[in-house]
Amino acid sequence: MPNKAFNATKSEKIFDVCNIIFMMLVLIVTLYPFMNVLAISLNDSIDTVRGGITIWPRQFTLDNYKTIFGYDTLLQGLQVSILRTVVGTFLGLLSASMIAYTLSRVDFRGRKFISTFLALTMYFSGGLIPVYILMRDLNLIGTFWVYVLPGLVSAFNVFIVRSFIDGLPYALQESAKLDGANDFTIYWRIILPLCKPVLATIALFIAVGQWNSWFDTYLYNGSNATWTTLQYELMKVLQSTQSGGSAVNANDMATKMAQISPESIKMAITIVVTVPILVVYPFLQKYFVGGMTLGAVKS
């Protein structure tokens, strides 16, 4: 049987060429900004001020990264950021999936009321000051759990997981009940394994949010070095370069800080906070596509 690729019509060949050119342009537009940021972060700071750097450093150096990692509190912030990302993602997935499973049950009488209540939280908020007072009254300020508990339940994540569960055959739950399984067994042994695509999607959402968050550290743990985060410490690095530099660690780096341009530090910080997510994403990509396709479009 002849190969269809060698019998393509002229219009099909033109379409293939145009499609390849278009995808190459999309690749360039997508990849160029990241390559430019990486090149500036690896370029000498004084030379960066001249501009004109594209995708390759003009004067290669690692001084920008040495300056960033010269901060004493950076390692502690990295540990806390990893911990809050892991714990926050796990508990967020657990809470979202449990609530979603409950709301997907047609025999649950309060499903409409709770769904409406959750939807309202997506449009209304108490504001910054009431939330801060609430965290204070709950004795969460100055603790690790202030990073996890306030955002433990996300209405958006719950609705995505519930939509996915609604698309699963209900006969699976009925047959499990006939075999004597209770609700928790159905949830843990039947629903969760089938929800891997949408859970991986939600996990990526939560992990990125936890990893990139720094404002809650500024509000609740700004003076607590024990629970500082990587992003908050990197923000302070950037501020110190923009303000002319301050004491970085026990070694006096004031002279070096004066020779570091904020642009180079900013790009180096961008690479530091982006690379971990880029490393994790390929492992979740296949689930991410499947979860968004199957979970978001079902009613």
Side-chain angles (χ1 to χ4, degrees), residues 14-84:
I14 294 176
F15 173 80
D16 291 339
V17 172
C18 293
N19 190 35
I20 293 174
I21 294 175
F22 175 76
M23 296 306 298
M24 290 294 293
L25 291 175
V26 172
L27 177 63
I28 293 174
V29 170
T30 304
L31 192 60
Y32 175 78
F34 180 80
M35 296 298 297
N36 179 250
V37 169
L38 181 62
I40 294 176
S41 70
L42 294 173
N43 194 71
D44 180 73
S45 297
I46 304 302
D47 181 70
T48 300
V49 179
R50 296 167 47 198
I53 299 176
T54 55
I55 63 174
W56 195 259
R58 195 161 42 223
Q59 296 184 18
F60 180 83
T61 181
L62 295 176
D63 288 343
N64 300 320
Y65 292 95
K66 291 179 180 178
T67 300
I68 293 177
F69 290 103
Y71 277 68
D72 290 336
T73 55
L74 204 65
L75 181 59
Q76 175 67 19
L78 176 62
Q79 294 174 351
V80 175
S81 290
I82 294 176
L83 180 63
R84 69 173 293 181

Side-chain angles (χ1 to χ4, degrees), residues 231-254:
Q231 284 68 25
Y232 181 65
E233 293 302 321
L234 291 176
M235 184 271 296
K236 291 196 297 185
V237 175
L238 182 60
Q239 286 185 342
S240 67
T241 60
Q242 292 175 337
S243 61
S246 58
V248 177
N249 53 21
N251 300 321
D252 186 12
M253 297 181 67

Side-chain angles (χ1 to χ4, degrees), residues 80-255:
V80 175
S81 290
I82 294 176
L83 180 63
R84 69 173 293 181
T85 300
V86 174
V87 175
T89 301
F90 174 76
L91 294 181
L93 284 177
L94 188 64
S95 60
S97 60
M98 293 181 71
I99 297 174
Y101 169 67
T102 303
L103 295 179
S104 67
R105 294 290 300 267
V106 295
D107 55 346
F108 178 55
R109 296 183 179 180
R111 58 180 299 186
K112 291 185 178 180
F113 172 78
I114 296 180
S115 297
T116 303
F117 180 80
L118 287 175
L120 290 177
T121 62
M122 300 175 63
Y123 300 98
F124 301 99
S125 173
L128 184 60
I129 295 178
V131 171
Y132 183 87
I133 295 175
L134 177 62
M135 297 300 106
R136 182 198 63 187
D137 293 343
L138 293 175
N139 296 321
L140 292 177
I141 295 180
T143 67
F144 169 77
W145 296 106
V146 74
Y147 299 140
V148 177
L149 296 182
L152 188 62
V153 177
S154 170
F156 178 76
N157 295 341
V158 170
F159 290 147
I160 289 183
V161 179
R162 189 191 68 174
S163 298
F164 187 93
I165 295 176
D166 287 341
L168 299 177
Y170 191 71
L172 294 175
Q173 300 185 35
E174 293 179 336
S175 60
K177 281 188 176 182
L178 292 176
D179 292 336
N182 55 29
D183 290 332
F184 183 80
T185 302
I186 295 174
Y187 160 76
W188 189 258
R189 296 197 173 186
I190 297 179
I191 300 299
L192 276 187
L194 295 176
C195 287
K196 286 182 180 179
V198 71
L199 292 180
T201 303
I202 299 304
L204 187 61
F205 289 162
I206 300 176
V208 171
Q210 289 283 2
W211 178 258
N212 290 332
S213 181
W214 67 269
F215 190 64
D216 50 2
T217 307
Y218 172 75
L219 287 178
Y220 308 123
N221 286 327
S223 59
N224 189 342
T226 303
W227 298 118
T228 188
T229 57
L230 175 64
Q231 284 68 25
Y232 181 65
E233 293 302 321
L234 291 176
M235 184 271 296
K236 291 196 297 185
V237 175
L238 182 60
Q239 286 185 342
S240 67
T241 60
Q242 292 175 337
S243 61
S246 58
V248 177
N249 53 21
N251 300 321
D252 186 12
M253 297 181 67
T255 303

